[in-house]
Amino acid sequence: MKVAVYPGSFDPVTNGHIDIINKTSKLFDKMVVAVIHNVSKKALFTLAEREEMVKENTKHLDNVNVESFSGLLADYVRQKQACAIIRGLRTAADFEYEMYIAMANKTLYPSAETVFVLADSKYIYISSSIVKEVALLNGSVAELVPESVNKALALKKAAMKI
Ligand code: ADP
């Protein structure tokens, strides 16, 4: 069985991420979307909230599981017996950054290949950071994220009393 792991912060998941999951899940028997618990990165949404938002928006895909993990990605990929690590590429700057991580992961766990999937041209400018910035400054992100994420951003903003 060919298993792929798609790791990311997903803080929050955007239409760009969902597009990558939709496209890539067709290429593998199983895809695990792994929401990273990164202690050194301050997230807007909790790990549980991020995981739930990805679950809600991938429930139409039978071969996609959503989990969270902390620690070394290479160890997690080994544990899942995955043959591929999926990363989305928007720009050359993404590639520059991702190439080194891919090489490090290859050294740590040679049995998995990093597979880069190109962002759809519609989503090339979308990042979780831009979504958060626009939403917290009262801009509309309805076109950039799934509806449930748009609602969650509004609730988060209200809770922060901004
Ligand atoms: P990380 O913090 O690990 O970069 P992100 O949640 O920001 O996690 O992104 C996870 C993956 O999704 C990365 O490979 C990133 O390049 C990719 N990605 C982010 N935004 C988009 C987008 N709009 N289109 C395609 N891929 C994207």
Side-chain angles (χ1 to χ4, degrees), residues 20-152:
I20 296 285
I21 299 168
N22 279 331
K23 290 192 288 208
T24 313
S25 59
K26 295 194 186 88
L27 306 176
F28 293 89
D29 299 310
K30 191 176 149 195
M31 184 168 180
V32 182
V33 182
V35 183
I36 302 169
H37 175 56
N38 187 343
V39 276
S40 60
K41 222 171 170 181
K42 177 94 185 75
L44 177 66
F45 290 97
T46 66
L47 190 61
E49 287 170 335
R50 286 182 277 144
E51 193 180 335
E52 186 48 43
M53 284 186 278
V54 183
K55 272 192 185 146
E56 169 67 24
N57 291 289
T58 54
K59 62 181 181 206
H60 59 290
L61 298 166
D62 288 343
N63 65 337
V64 173
N65 281 358
V66 184
E67 295 183 1
S68 58
F69 86 103
S70 58
L72 202 58
L73 177 65
D75 290 341
Y76 180 80
V77 173
R78 181 185 291 112
Q79 184 202 320
K80 295 283 148 199
Q81 298 194 322
C83 61
I85 299 168
I86 308 302
R87 295 292 285 173
L89 282 189
R90 287 160 294 191
T91 59
D94 270 354
F95 176 72
E96 190 92 8
Y97 170 77
E98 296 286 347
M99 189 182 73
Y100 296 107
I101 297 174
M103 286 176 179
N105 283 327
K106 183 75 184 168
T107 308
L108 293 164
Y109 184 55
S111 303
E113 296 299 326
T114 295
V115 175
F116 294 120
V117 180
L118 280 188
D120 190 284
S121 57
K122 299 200 279 294
Y123 304 130
I124 233 148
Y125 67 98
I126 305 179
S127 67
S128 298
S129 313
I130 287 183
V131 162
K132 284 182 283 193
E133 198 160 338
V134 172
L136 297 179
L137 293 171
N138 292 320
S140 170
V141 291
E143 305 292 313
L144 316 185
V145 294
E147 202 183 323
S148 59
V149 175
N150 195 19
K151 283 188 185 142

Side-chain angles (χ1 to χ4, degrees), residues 7-22:
S9 309
F10 304 108
D11 183 39
V13 69
T14 68
N15 288 342
H17 296 129
I18 299 295
D19 175 57
I20 296 285
I21 299 168
N22 279 331

